[in-house]
């Protein structure tokens, strides 16, 4: 019991009803988009709309029930935004399936497989919420996750299971299934970086020489960032994966800056990134090809056909888009995966594409808000790492499609076809919701009972 004159503590609301309302809107967006594709192509609603809509709604509401059961105080916005993006991605993949089938290309169908991967991703989402009741327990396995990340990154270059696709050695093949270990390594590295930086941040925060008003790190403390840089260069050399190399190094530099609050780490990281980019351009032909396609794709239309058709698709969409089923996104190679943003831009226009980017921005904003309000250092850094990895991935994907930066080969989270990406991104959302629940959950009330000879502290749950 609290003292009679004490001010009652503020208790946050769970906001699960608000989440349910937003979730119903997200489900309506997905099912409505699916119906619009059928109306745009055939003039009728797709025959399987009731089955597909029911499965989609049950999966989304099942995720909501899991959050209500296992993370009642979690952020109410994340899940609806993710469900809306996932629904738009499924609809676009289905629309491209119809276009490829009409053209007799022999590709697809991909939408059915993506729906199965989505169901599996939601099951993993529920499993993470059910099994990890306190994110701080992950800190005990900091170096285990670090070792696991290294193993995952090495797997694609092994001679038996490694599998090269489109010039990048980033896949492993296990029978009929292929898997991209870098997607799982992204989560493992975020956990490892968070645990490591919590333990070492006091030493890493010490300032060294001051240059141009910026306190640079001490020379003896450069080991971690140099190691991270070497790992990124190793990914570029052995796996020929420019996107993952940029993502992992950027993730470490940003988390290092947040942990130490020293801008000098950003300067050092920027210089190392520039050196790595120059080395990759000078040493590897495929990196030069990416830069040449970025600077002038029309210099070799045959080699750069993919990026050229994507740009024409964006121009064809204009401001408001051609409408669901009215464009030709199937003309862009891999428009259902690597270039799905250009497909969305053609069908929904700049307006629809900006709406998708705003939805991505909401996910990052909610993740960083979770980090700001988190009470423990490990959870704060982990939320930052997961949010920054998401933001970096969206930036390099959108920037590559729009020729802001060279193409990197990463895929748009929750939109692009691919089982590895969809599963791991659902796990990222589960971890963010777990941290959010732990942060917003009210602390147990503490009552003090005083007697003549002793004082007893009672914790009321």
């Amino acid at each position: 019991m609290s003292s009679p004159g004490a001010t009652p503590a503020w208790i946050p609301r769970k906001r699960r009803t608000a989440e349910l309302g937003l979730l119903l809107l997200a489900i309506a967006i997905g099912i409505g988009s699916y119906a619009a594709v059928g109306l745009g192509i055939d003039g009728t609603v797709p025959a399987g709309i009731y089955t597909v809509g029911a499965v989609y709604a049950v999966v989304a509401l099942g995720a909501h029930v899991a959050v209500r059961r296992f993370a009642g105080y979690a952020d109410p916005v994340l899940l609806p935004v993710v469900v809306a993006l996932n629904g738009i991605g499924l609809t676009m993949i289905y629309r491209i399936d119809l276009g490829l089938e009409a053209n007799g290309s022999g590709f697809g169908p991909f939408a059915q497989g993506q729906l199965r991967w989505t169901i599996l991703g939601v099951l993993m989402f529920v499993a993470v919420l059910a099994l990890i009741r306190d994110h701080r327990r992950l800190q005990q396995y900091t170096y285990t996750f670090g070792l696991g990340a290294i193993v995952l990154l090495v797997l694609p270059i092994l001679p038996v299971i490694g599998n090269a696709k489109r010039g990048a050695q980033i896949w492993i093949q296990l029978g009929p299934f292929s898997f991209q270990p870098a997607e799982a390594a992204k989560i493992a590295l975020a956990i490892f970086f968070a645990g490591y930086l919590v333990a070492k941040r006091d030493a890493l925060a010490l300032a060294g020489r001051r240059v141009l008003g910026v306190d640079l790190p001490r020379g003896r403390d450069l080991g971690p960032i140099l190691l991270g840089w070497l790992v990124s260069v190793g990914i570029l050399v052995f796996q020929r994966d420019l996107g993952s190399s940029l993502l992992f190094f950027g993730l470490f530099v940003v988390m290092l800056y947040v942990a130490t609050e020293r801008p000098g780490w950003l300067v050092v990281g920027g210089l190392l990134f520039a050196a790595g980019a120059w080395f990759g351009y000078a040493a590897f032909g495929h990196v030069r090809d990416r830069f040449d396609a970025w600077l002038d794709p029309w210099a070799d239309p045959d080699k750069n056909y993919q990026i050229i058709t994507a740009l024409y698709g964006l121009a064809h969409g204009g401001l408001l888009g051609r409408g669901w089923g009215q464009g030709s996104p199937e003309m862009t190679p891999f428009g259902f995966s690597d270039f799905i943003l250009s497909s969305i831009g053609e069908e929904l226009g700049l307006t629809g594409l900006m709406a998708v980017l705003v939805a991505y921005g909401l996910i990052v904003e909610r993740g960083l808000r979770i980090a700001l309000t988190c009470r423990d250092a490990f959870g704060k850094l982990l939320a930052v790492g997961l949010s920054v990895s998401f933001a970096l991935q969206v930036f390099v994907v959108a920037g590559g499609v729009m020729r802001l930066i060279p193409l990197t080969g990463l895929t748009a989270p929750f939109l692009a076809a691919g089982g590895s990406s969809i599963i791991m991104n659902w796990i990222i959302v589960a971890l963010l919701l777990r941290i959010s629940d732990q942060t917003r959950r009210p602390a147990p009330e503490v009552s003090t009972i005083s007697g003549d000879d002793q004082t007893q502290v009672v914790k009321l749950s």
Side-chain angles (χ1 to χ4, degrees):
M1 297 176 61
S2 56
S3 58
T7 303
W10 176 77
I11 299 178
R13 292 182 294 169
K14 292 186 176 183
R15 305 299 299 274
R16 299 278 65 83
T17 303
E19 179 186 77
L20 179 59
L22 293 173
L23 190 62
L24 293 176
L25 177 61
I27 294 172
I29 291 174
I31 298 177
S33 300
Y34 182 72
V37 168
L39 291 171
I41 294 179
D42 300 323
T44 60
V45 175
I49 189 169
Y50 294 109
T51 302
V52 173
V55 171
Y56 178 61
V58 167
V59 170
L61 292 174
H64 167 73
V65 171
V67 175
R68 185 181 288 269
R69 170 66 177 83
F70 300 115
Y73 288 91
D75 185 274
V77 177
L78 271 176
L79 181 61
V81 174
V82 167
V83 168
L85 285 173
N86 208 155
I88 293 172
L90 285 167
T91 301
M92 179 53 67
I93 296 169
Y94 168 71
R95 186 266 171 273
I96 294 177
D97 278 346
L98 296 179
L100 293 174
E101 181 182 353
N103 292 342
S105 64
F107 287 93
F110 298 99
Q112 292 181 359
Q114 186 71 357
L115 182 58
R116 288 193 292 267
W117 286 120
T118 297
I119 294 172
L120 184 56
V122 172
L123 291 176
M124 293 298 296
F125 168 88
V126 174
V128 170
L129 289 180
L131 297 176
I132 302 177
R133 296 302 185 93
D134 190 342
H135 65 273
R136 291 170 293 188
R137 294 186 60 185
L138 297 174
Q139 188 176 1
Q140 303 173 9
Y141 307 99
T142 294
Y143 292 97
T144 302
F145 279 105
L147 178 61
I150 294 175
V151 171
L152 288 169
L153 292 175
V154 169
L155 286 178
I157 62 177
L158 297 180
V160 177
I161 60 176
N163 185 20
K165 293 184 180 181
R166 303 195 290 276
Q169 191 82 22
I170 59 177
W171 297 84
I172 60 174
Q173 191 77 32
L174 300 174
F177 300 102
S178 59
F179 179 70
Q180 193 172 349
E183 293 287 348
K186 175 175 62 178
I187 300 175
L189 283 174
I191 296 173
F192 167 70
F193 290 156
Y196 174 81
L197 292 173
V198 166
K200 304 293 183 181
R201 64 177 176 176
D202 290 338
L204 295 173
L206 295 176
R209 183 173 301 177
R210 189 175 183 86
V211 178
L212 298 178
V214 178
D215 293 323
L216 297 178
R218 300 182 304 174
R220 72 187 73 173
D221 298 328
L222 292 177
I225 196 170
L226 289 175
L227 180 61
W229 180 73
L230 289 174
V231 170
S232 300
V233 172
I235 295 172
L236 183 62
V237 171
F238 295 107
Q239 299 186 3
R240 292 172 289 178
D241 184 12
L242 181 63
S244 295
S245 176
L246 170 62
L247 176 62
F248 294 148
F249 185 65
L251 170 65
F252 181 55
V253 171
V254 173
M255 291 185 68
L256 187 57
Y257 164 67
V258 172
T260 61
E261 301 180 9
R262 291 290 183 184
W265 287 113
L266 295 179
V267 175
V268 173
L271 293 175
L272 288 175
F273 171 75
W278 176 85
F279 170 75
Y281 181 84
F284 306 110
H286 69 282
V287 176
R288 286 195 297 274
D289 290 341
R290 294 284 180 92
F291 272 87
D292 293 340
W294 168 50
L295 295 174
D296 187 10
W298 286 273
D300 191 345
D302 293 331
K303 180 184 292 187
N304 303 322
Y305 175 78
Q306 186 181 35
I307 182 63
I308 291 175
T309 54
L311 292 173
Y312 277 124
L314 289 172
H316 189 220
L319 181 62
L320 300 177
R322 311 307 300 180
W324 282 113
Q326 300 300 303
S328 302
E330 69 277 2
M331 293 182 62
T332 302
F334 300 100
F336 52 85
S337 58
D338 296 5
F339 279 80
I340 197 168
L341 287 180
S342 70
S343 301
I344 291 174
E346 182 174 359
E347 299 266 297
L348 303 182
L350 178 63
T351 303
L353 186 57
M354 289 302 298
V356 168
L357 294 179
V358 167
Y360 279 136
L362 278 174
I363 294 175
V364 176
E365 185 271 335
R366 303 307 290 192
L368 294 179
R369 178 190 290 263
I370 292 169
L372 285 172
T373 57
C374 186
R375 293 185 289 263
D376 65 283
F378 174 75
K380 189 181 294 290
L381 280 177
L382 180 56
V384 167
L386 296 174
S387 303
V388 166
S389 68
F390 198 91
L392 285 174
Q393 185 163 343
V394 172
F395 170 74
V396 298
V397 171
V401 170
M402 301 174 191
R403 279 190 64 213
L404 180 63
I405 59 175
L407 287 171
T408 59
L410 295 178
T411 56
F414 298 110
L415 292 177
S420 308
S421 176
I422 197 73
I423 292 174
M424 295 305 154
N425 281 303
W426 272 105
I427 291 177
I428 287 177
V429 173
L431 290 173
L432 287 174
L433 289 177
R434 170 53 62 214
I435 299 172
S436 173
D437 174 69
Q438 193 74 27
T439 300
R440 297 182 71 248
R441 185 178 294 275
E445 184 180 353
V446 177
S447 175
T448 302
I449 302 175
S450 300
D452 295 335
D453 299 323
Q454 60 181 356
T455 301
Q456 182 181 6
V457 177
V458 181
K459 183 180 293 186
L460 303 176
S461 58

